[in-house]
mmCIF file of all heavy atoms in Angstrom:
data_model
loop_
_atom_site.group_PDB
_atom_site.id
_atom_site.type_symbol
_atom_site.label_atom_id
_atom_site.label_comp_id
_atom_site.label_asym_id
_atom_site.label_seq_id
_atom_site.Cartn_x
_atom_site.Cartn_y
_atom_site.Cartn_z
ATOM 1 N N GLY B 36 -52.057 36.419 18.023
ATOM 2 C CA GLY B 36 -51.161 37.400 17.439
ATOM 3 C C GLY B 36 -51.767 38.772 17.541
ATOM 4 O O GLY B 36 -52.894 38.941 18.022
ATOM 5 N N PHE B 39 -53.799 42.716 20.579
ATOM 6 C CA PHE B 39 -54.727 42.237 21.601
ATOM 7 C C PHE B 39 -54.622 40.734 21.819
ATOM 8 O O PHE B 39 -55.446 40.151 22.497
ATOM 9 C CB PHE B 39 -56.166 42.623 21.233
ATOM 10 C CG PHE B 39 -56.392 44.093 21.247
ATOM 11 C CD1 PHE B 39 -56.492 44.805 20.068
ATOM 12 C CD2 PHE B 39 -56.445 44.780 22.458
ATOM 13 C CE1 PHE B 39 -56.672 46.177 20.094
ATOM 14 C CE2 PHE B 39 -56.633 46.146 22.484
ATOM 15 C CZ PHE B 39 -56.746 46.856 21.295
ATOM 16 N N SER B 217 -41.673 -6.825 30.015
ATOM 17 C CA SER B 217 -41.959 -7.846 31.019
ATOM 18 C C SER B 217 -42.975 -7.329 32.041
ATOM 19 O O SER B 217 -43.834 -8.076 32.505
ATOM 20 C CB SER B 217 -40.678 -8.333 31.697
ATOM 21 O OG SER B 217 -40.185 -7.350 32.557
ATOM 22 N N LEU B 323 -60.509 8.965 4.205
ATOM 23 C CA LEU B 323 -60.871 8.545 5.560
ATOM 24 C C LEU B 323 -60.180 7.233 5.887
ATOM 25 O O LEU B 323 -59.825 6.462 4.995
ATOM 26 C CB LEU B 323 -62.386 8.353 5.665
ATOM 27 C CG LEU B 323 -63.218 9.604 5.389
ATOM 28 C CD1 LEU B 323 -64.692 9.256 5.284
ATOM 29 C CD2 LEU B 323 -62.971 10.642 6.479
#
Side-chain angles (χ1 to χ4, degrees):
Chain B
F39 294 105
S217 72
L323 299 170

